[in-house]
Amino acid sequence: MSLRLRVVLIAGLALALVWGAAAAWLAHDIHRNLDRTLDERLAMSARMVSGLLQRAALQPGASSPALEGAVSVGGGQGIACQIRSLRGEILAASGDPTLAARAAPPPGFADVETGGALWRTYTLHVDDFVVTTADRVDERDALVRGIVVAAGMPVLLAVLGGLVALWIGIGRGLAPLDALRRQLQARAADATDPVDAGGAPAELRPLLSALNGLLERLSLALAQQRAFTDAAAHELRTPLTGIDTHLQLARLSGGDARDAALDRAGSGVARMRRTLDQLLALARAEVAPAVDDPCPSVLAAVRDAIGSGTNAANGRVACALVGEDRASPMPHSMLVTAVRNLLDNALRHAPGDSTVEVAVECAVGEAACVIRVADRGPGLTAEEMARVGQRFWRGDRGRPDGAGAGLGISIVRAIAARHGGELQLRAREGGGLVAVLRVPAA
Amino acid sequence: MRVLVVEDDALIAEGVVAGLAAQGFDARSVCTGASAEAACVDEDFDALVLDLGLPDTDGLALLAALRAQGIEMPVVVLTARDAIEHRLAGLHGGADDYLVKPFDLRELAARLHAVVRRARGRAVPQIQAGPLRIEPHSGLAWLDGDPVALSRREIDVLVHLADARGRWVAPDALHERLYGLDSDVGSNALNVHIHNIRRKLGADAIRSERGLGYRLGWEAA
């Protein structure tokens, strides 16, 4: 249902209800007042006739022309009049004859039905006569109806006119909404510039500022997404170019040169596979884990991470437990991936003969376990510290081989953020870098 | 033809250098913008192959810096980003041509020949000088319509002399254009090539004058 129809229906119904109640009250009041007035007229007519009879000192059985005259005075103007003797005989009557055929009504006001019609009567006992005046009730009702229609027609017109005015007026009042709709419809599908709130009414401004806030966040997310896909494409295209170049070279040359070129193409494939694996790991780290993968022991996960490395790396990693081993609510595989990435970084940057020290620090009652990975590599400068964790940023760019994809820290951060952990990188005393991964303990 | 490849990715740089060498180029590579700038100032290259994503500087910034120093050698830009904006930025930034990674090594060679040829004011891919006709990109040569077997170096010497358009070329300059600052190549190497060319094309093919250097015996068309 359109907003306009809704508002008009609500306002129109309320308006009609109020006007209807007022009209009903008016009609009722008119009816009551008119009844009283007409009753008074009836009584007055009866008293007038009785006054005439008293003044003329007529006796029952007197000549009827005088009585007829009296009746005609009391009657007329839609009022029937009868004069009876105390015994009930009709001495004179005017108006509807059916009423005369009936017995005299009780004194005072009464409602009498005769000949299919309803009568309002007033009966007065005067000396030896009974004077009755009567009104037809349906005539009275017709009169009331006439007055109600005459008074009600303008009200009805006012109500209908009011509804039309409401429809048009609300349409006009909603024009800013319509203008906003048109402005939004005219936008390109990927437009994220803010909507112009300049001429918007005060009621729309909070909505528009909320909308603009949403658009701003959306535009930021889109820009990040674009930067990410751009960088991902670049990171995949670079090894692909290397592979392609060396395959072409293999075709162009022969003998040892061809074998060397194929060898180099193979190393490009390995690098591309690493980048793809890391991209997949990042994607997995960012979505909720689908499988049930409990982590009963943080230490076991760290040992798995150390064990999943190459043999050469194994001898260079020293692992120590401080305190009690604990379980963690985060999935085992995610913890292994996170520690594996920290270890890879440490091993890549540390000098070949140095040891990478891994410490698992857990205590009973603590909410978190701390995993420290410390190396004796070159560490990070303040500028690098700010950039590390940017996707595809590599601290080792320009180095010939063993280069990472630039996603490791991003993966660890994504896993930590997903599962309520935290990663901090600090300079190590005496040179090198310490990665401190805090994971929740169960 | 001497080409400097500026590429930070070792795998690609190695492949491009070897691929260009296999097609008769004398290529060497550097992996940073700073070393590229230094190499361009120190040595003479016929063309530059420039990757836009360098670790220390933006490829376009390097290009602008080189052009600002008056280095006018033709530049073929390599980019991993094929969005039209990137390509336009490269061309507007002073590049003569671009290739999107991954690319065909033969196409890179062809484009290098084309930009070098245009930079030297030749509209056709062949050099005609008297009875001699040379195709620098294929390394083929003809004398009076008959094919002559010339080595890559010999073709290079003839192309350089033809591009000098009748001016004398000093032996040192010719040596550097052929070998760069490679000190392993003795000064006798050039003399050997000149001798072989004269043997194949006739003594008039290259004239020499003490104190002036070498000149092509025929006027290049």
Side-chain angles (χ1 to χ4, degrees), chain B residues 1-6 16-17 20-21 23-30 38-49 71 73-76 109 112-113 115-117 120 136 152-153 155-157 159-160 163 172-185:
Chain B
M1 196 186 289
R2 303 197 67 234
V3 176
L4 180 66
V5 178
V6 188
V16 170
V17 166
L20 288 179
Q23 296 178 84
F25 288 84
D26 179 6
R28 80 176 186 92
S29 73
V30 291
C40 286
V41 171
D42 290 347
E43 299 178 44
D44 232 351
F45 293 98
D46 296 301
L48 188 70
V49 175
I71 296 171
M73 76 178 116
V75 173
V76 175
L112 281 171
H113 277 297
V115 293
V116 168
R117 170 166 61 76
R120 296 195 182 152
R152 264 286 165 197
R153 289 288 185 207
I155 294 280
D156 278 353
V157 169
V159 169
H160 281 305
D163 286 335
D172 287 354
L174 192 54
H175 189 273
E176 200 196 318
R177 286 205 77 95
L178 289 178
Y179 303 108
L181 292 181
D182 198 344
S183 52
D184 290 348
V185 181

Side-chain angles (χ1 to χ4, degrees), chain A residues 55-80:
Chain A
R55 219 178 306 141
L58 289 172
Q59 294 300 311
S63 61
S64 56
L67 285 174
E68 291 297 334
V71 162
S72 69
V73 168
Q77 298 164 352
I79 296 175

Side-chain angles (χ1 to χ4, degrees), chain A residues 411-438:
Chain A
I411 291 169
V412 180
R413 288 229 166 110
I415 290 173
R418 183 96 220 155
H419 301 285
E422 192 194 3
L423 175 70
Q424 284 180 343
L425 299 171
R426 300 181 195 138
R428 188 181 182 188
E429 235 170 86
L433 191 75
V434 192
V436 182
L437 177 64
R438 193 178 289 274

Side-chain angles (χ1 to χ4, degrees), chain A residues 116 178 193 211 226 237 240 317 327 331 347 365 379 388 398 405 407 417 436 439:
Chain A
D178 210 41
D193 51 305
L211 180 69
R226 258 198 289 272
R237 196 168 284 197
L240 181 68
V317 180
L347 288 168
V388 69
L407 288 172
V436 182
V439 299

Side-chain angles (χ1 to χ4, degrees), chain A residues 229-244:
Chain A
T229 44
D230 208 36
H234 180 264
E235 284 310 308
L236 289 174
R237 196 168 284 197
T238 301
L240 181 68
T241 305
I243 296 163
D244 187 57

Side-chain angles (χ1 to χ4, degrees), chain A residues 230-231 233-234 237-246 248-249 252-253 264-265 267-269 271 394 397-401, chain B residues 7-12 14-16 18-19 22-23 31 51 53-55 79-82 86 100-106:
Chain A
D230 208 36
H234 180 264
R237 196 168 284 197
T238 301
L240 181 68
T241 305
I243 296 163
D244 187 57
T245 306
H246 283 281
Q248 292 180 47
L249 196 56
L252 284 172
S253 42
R264 303 298 288 142
S267 76
V269 170
R271 202 169 101 201
R394 291 197 300 256
R397 273 196 90 168
R399 284 185 207 181
D401 259 322
Chain B
E7 164 68 63
D8 71 310
D9 189 271
L11 191 67
I12 298 177
E14 215 176 287
V16 170
Q23 296 178 84
C31 62
D51 175 35
L54 295 174
T79 170
R81 300 182 162 98
D82 60 357
H86 286 108
V100 176
K101 293 179 184 175
F103 49 86
D104 195 303
L105 285 171
R106 291 166 301 170

